[in-house]
């Protein structure tokens, strides 16, 4: 493999690891930022879980002003919830339609998924870097064998 092409491919592969790192860090920092916003203006309410799966839980709850709220993006940290449950939710009084979480959960739940994304991204990157290096080595060896064979048959 041409050294210039190999270097460009290696840079592209390293970009995968860097992108995974960026995504993982954003997930973790975003969760802590959301929790900070909730904690600054926190209120608690009883909510009905309308629907839930591993990635999303939709709830409704009433705020003290009598308005029925349904956070448009669902709850933060929605795992292990089931439709029909009644749970306590903490929400941001200034933004109850966006920021709500189950009362017993916080941003520490985002650390493992964030680190998993980072680890997986770098594992894939390292495997690809070794594959590129091995492919390049084999191509150079094959080119050398062909050159030696051509020189040997012309003599």
């Amino acid at each position: 493999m041409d050294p210039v092409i190999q270097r460009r491919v290696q840079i592209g592969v390293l970009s995968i690891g860097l992108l995974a790192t960026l995504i993982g860090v954003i997930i973790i920092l975003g969760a802590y930022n959301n929790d900070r916003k909730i904690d600054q203006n926190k209120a608690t309410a009883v909510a009905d879980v309308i629907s839930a799966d591993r990635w999303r839980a939709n709830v409704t709850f009433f705020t003290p002003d009598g308005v029925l709220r349904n956070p448009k993006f669902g709850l933060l940290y929605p795992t292990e919830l089931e439709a029909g449950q009644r749970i306590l939710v903490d929400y941001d009084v200034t933004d109850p339609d966006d920021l709500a979480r189950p009362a017993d959960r916080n941003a520490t739940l985002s650390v493992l998924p964030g680190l998993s994304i980072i680890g997986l991204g770098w594992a894939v990157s390292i495997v690809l870097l070794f594959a590129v290096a091995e492919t390049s080595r084999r191509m150079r060896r094959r080119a050398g064998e062909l050159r030696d064979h051509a020189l040997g048959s012309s003599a």
Side-chain angles (χ1 to χ4, degrees), residues 19-30 110-111 113-115 117-118:
L19 181 61
T21 301
L22 180 64
I23 290 169
V25 168
I26 286 172
I27 287 171
I28 294 168
L29 292 179
S110 71
V111 174
L115 292 178
I117 289 171
I118 293 169

Side-chain angles (χ1 to χ4, degrees), residues 25-83:
V25 168
I26 286 172
I27 287 171
I28 294 168
L29 292 179
Y32 277 95
N33 187 49
N34 287 337
D35 273 6
R36 181 186 56 79
K37 288 178 183 177
I38 290 172
D39 290 338
Q40 284 177 345
N41 301 296
K42 184 166 78 171
T44 302
V46 175
D48 294 311
V49 179
I50 299 168
S51 65
D53 61 30
R54 185 174 181 185
W55 307 109
R56 184 175 168 90
N58 292 313
V59 299
T60 58
F61 59 91
F62 284 98
T63 52
D65 58 2
V67 177
L68 180 65
R69 303 293 182 166
N70 181 354
K72 59 186 167 191
F73 300 115
L75 289 181
L76 302 171
Y77 327 119
T79 56
E80 299 177 11
L81 295 176
E82 295 177 8

